[in-house]
Each structure stands twice: as structure tokens, then as C-alpha cells.
Amino acid sequence: MEETYLLNVEGVRKKILHGGQGELPKLQDGSKFTFHFQTLKDDFERTVIDDSREAGMPMEIIVGKMFKLEIWETLLSSMRIGEVAEFWCDAIHTGMYALVSRGMRRIAEGRDPLEGQKHRCGMGNMFDYHSTGYDDLDELQRTPQPLIFIMELFRVEDPSAYKRDTWAMSKEEKLAAVPVLHSEGNRLVLRREFAQAAAKYQEAVICLRNLQAREKPWEDGWLKLESLVTPLVLNYCQCQLELGEYYEVLEHTTELLQKHNDNAKAYFKRAKAHAAVWNEREAREDFQRVAHLDPSMAAAVKKELKQLGERMRKKHVEDRKRYQGLFQSSQGV
């Protein structure tokens, strides 16, 4: 079991330290590896660079999702569940390790792994960084070298066996997820679980926005996706109104109206948010736009304007009393 042997990959040697169980896992696009790893320098001291156990969190990789350190997918594919193995990898496979490690360390520190990173390929980002922020990683970045990876594979899950993050979904999976998330959000609204419903609507919007990023703005593909985004954003805003998150509603409805300035429902929700935070003039303007754009909502607008007037009158009376009290107190002094 301790015999060193070559994988069918140039520049890689493997040594099994502890045998695993069963057959090699059957992998497919989207399968997820969960494992612990230790990274060492190939020097006399076998200097430890990273240790996921010390960081307190195992590593996860999704098969076929272009993980920057591609060799890791190859290494893990050669392992059985429960196996512990040591891999020596030549510098041709380790050039991206500094960037990968930088991201993992930031996550362990509770920081954004992409902080300061430009939206470019991994190699392009490498040239952008003058420093990773870690001296040992800066050395690896300056002088790529062979590294040793000790890995313990815990489990391999099929795509259907775990909830996949949005970024890990294919285009088809994102499109399929949207109506499911929409329906789940509606069900939660009926149960008045507005925070949970908002999260479902938001996740669906993220799926669609990710797909929109691949389309040319205002062309057919983009517009088709936008038609799905709009009702989800409106539902999200309704949940935020119920939760009292009025400035959140103002932000999202204003953004929506910059693209679709004839959407009466967006004006209506923004008007209600303005009214809630005492922006009387803005609320009245938006309510008037609603009545102009959609006469069928005139009765609802009339009701809201009446309530707004009553609230503002009450506020003015209370403010006058408060100011009079302050004035009398200052006169007494």
C-alpha cells in the first residue's frame, strides 16, 4: 500500500497512505468531492503551506466547473472513499496554487475571496497581483515549484444528491430551477413567511441574471429573460414591504423602473415605500403615475392617497405638539 506509482498523467506521482473502501466513484458533470488536504513544499523539511484541518473547514470541488487548480480534480478522481493519499505534482500543475490558496485563506478568515480581483481569467489575474497578501504565497507566485498534496476523500455526491449553489448550475439547470423557486416563494407568501419567500425569489433572480450576462442587452434572448426577472423582483419587493424594509424596496423598484418606466406595479410598490418613510411628494407622484398607466388600479390608488393624507395630517399634528413642547420648555429655562 505504500508503493509509489505514477498516475497516467505527466508530472504526477501518487502514494496511498491509507486505503479506501469500495470501487472508484462513478463521476459525472456536477459531482461534488468533499475532502481535507494538506499542501507541502518539496523540500527537506516538507514545509506545510496550507492545512484544511487547521483552517477548520473541508474543501469542496464540483466536477467540470473549471476549478483553477485543474490537477486536483484528476487526483481526487483516482481515490476511493476514505482513502488518504500523497501526490507529488510537478510545477507544470502547480502554477495557479498561490491564487487558489489565497482565496481559500480569505474564506477561512471570513473575507471575500474575490476582493480586489478583476473579472478576468485566472492567469490574467495572476499578472494583476503584485502581492497575494501572504509572503509564502508570493514566493510560490514568483517561483512556481513542485508541491506535495496529502488528501483524504470523505465523500462523492451526485448532482441530484445535494443542493447546488447557483454558480455551479448549468444553463439548463438554472432555467429549470426558476419556476420551482418562484412556486416555492408563492407558497411561502401564502404562509406569511415573507423572509423565506424573499430568499426564494432572490435566488431565482440570481439564476436569471447570470444567464442574462451571456446575452447582448435588449436583444431577444436578454428580453426573454428580463420578462421572467420582472415579476420575481416585484414579488421580492412585496415581501420587503411586508417586512418593513422600505429602502430595499426603493432601491429595487427604482432600478427596475430605469429599464421599464411603464410598469405600474413597480410604481405602486415604490409609492408605498415612499409613503412609509414619509416621502409625501414622491409617493403622490408615483401613485399618480400608477393611475395614469393602469386605470384599473385607480381605486387602489385613491385608497392609498387617502391613507397617505390621513397619515401626513396626523404626523403634522404630532410634530406641531412636539415643537410647541420644546418651545415651552426652552421658555421655561
Side-chain angles (χ1 to χ4, degrees), residues 93-313:
H93 299 296
T94 64
M96 296 298 294
Y97 185 77
L99 289 183
V100 172
S101 176
R102 175 184 186 269
M104 292 187 294
R105 291 183 187 187
R106 283 178 175 271
I107 292 171
E109 293 165 4
R111 299 163 64 191
D112 181 357
L114 301 180
E115 183 182 318
Q117 181 171 320
K118 297 181 180 179
H119 186 64
R120 293 171 57 183
C121 67
M123 192 59 70
N125 278 312
M126 176 176 282
F127 292 120
D128 283 331
Y129 296 134
H130 297 291
S131 171
T132 62
Y134 304 93
D135 291 341
D136 57 340
L137 299 182
D138 287 345
E139 178 196 345
L140 291 180
Q141 191 163 274
R142 285 191 300 268
T143 57
Q145 56 196 268
L147 294 174
I148 297 167
F149 302 113
I150 299 176
M151 295 178 159
E152 179 178 1
L153 181 60
F154 294 134
R155 61 182 174 271
V156 177
E157 298 170 90
D158 290 337
S160 60
Y162 66 94
K163 185 181 183 299
R164 303 180 70 184
D165 293 329
T166 299
W167 66 266
M169 292 181 181
S170 67
K171 176 181 178 179
E172 293 73 20
E173 288 169 332
K174 286 173 184 172
L175 285 172
V178 168
V180 175
L181 291 166
H182 198 159
S183 177
E184 289 176 352
N186 293 346
R187 179 176 53 80
L188 288 163
V189 165
L190 291 174
R191 291 164 52 179
R192 302 191 64 77
E193 296 178 17
F194 297 113
Q196 296 89 332
K200 295 294 183 183
Y201 295 137
Q202 186 177 45
E203 188 176 350
V205 170
I206 289 170
C207 285
L208 293 169
R209 292 295 190 209
N210 286 343
L211 293 173
Q212 267 191 317
R214 305 176 187 177
E215 304 287 343
K216 192 169 182 179
W218 302 105
E219 292 199 350
D220 288 345
W222 188 93
L223 288 170
K224 185 176 180 180
L225 293 167
E226 185 69 13
S227 69
L228 299 175
V229 168
T230 300
L232 288 163
V233 172
L234 291 172
N235 287 359
Y236 174 82
C237 288
Q238 184 60 42
C239 290
Q240 297 303 323
L241 281 174
E242 297 286 353
L243 294 167
E245 299 291 344
Y246 304 119
Y247 290 102
E248 180 91 354
V249 176
L250 291 175
E251 177 185 347
H252 288 284
T253 50
T254 298
E255 181 182 351
L256 189 113
L257 287 165
Q258 287 170 351
K259 298 176 184 174
H260 311 286
N261 61 5
D262 60 347
N263 191 301
K265 290 182 179 179
Y267 278 118
F268 189 79
K269 294 183 193 306
R270 189 171 75 171
K272 286 178 69 70
H274 275 310
V277 296
W278 308 106
N279 296 336
E280 182 180 12
R281 179 178 60 82
E282 293 87 346
R284 289 187 180 279
E285 288 176 355
D286 278 354
F287 278 132
Q288 287 165 4
R289 286 194 188 98
V290 173
H292 174 73
L293 289 168
D294 188 351
S296 70
M297 297 181 71
V301 167
K302 184 177 180 181
K303 179 181 176 182
E304 292 290 341
L305 286 171
K306 182 180 178 182
Q307 290 177 350
L308 175 61
E310 291 171 352
R311 288 181 69 242
M312 296 308 300
R313 281 192 291 275

Side-chain angles (χ1 to χ4, degrees), residues 24-25 27 33 63 72-80 153:
L24 288 173
L27 302 175
F33 292 112
V63 173
W72 273 17
E73 189 174 313
T74 302
L75 305 183
L76 291 161
S77 298
S78 76
M79 299 178 68
R80 292 172 169 79
L153 181 60

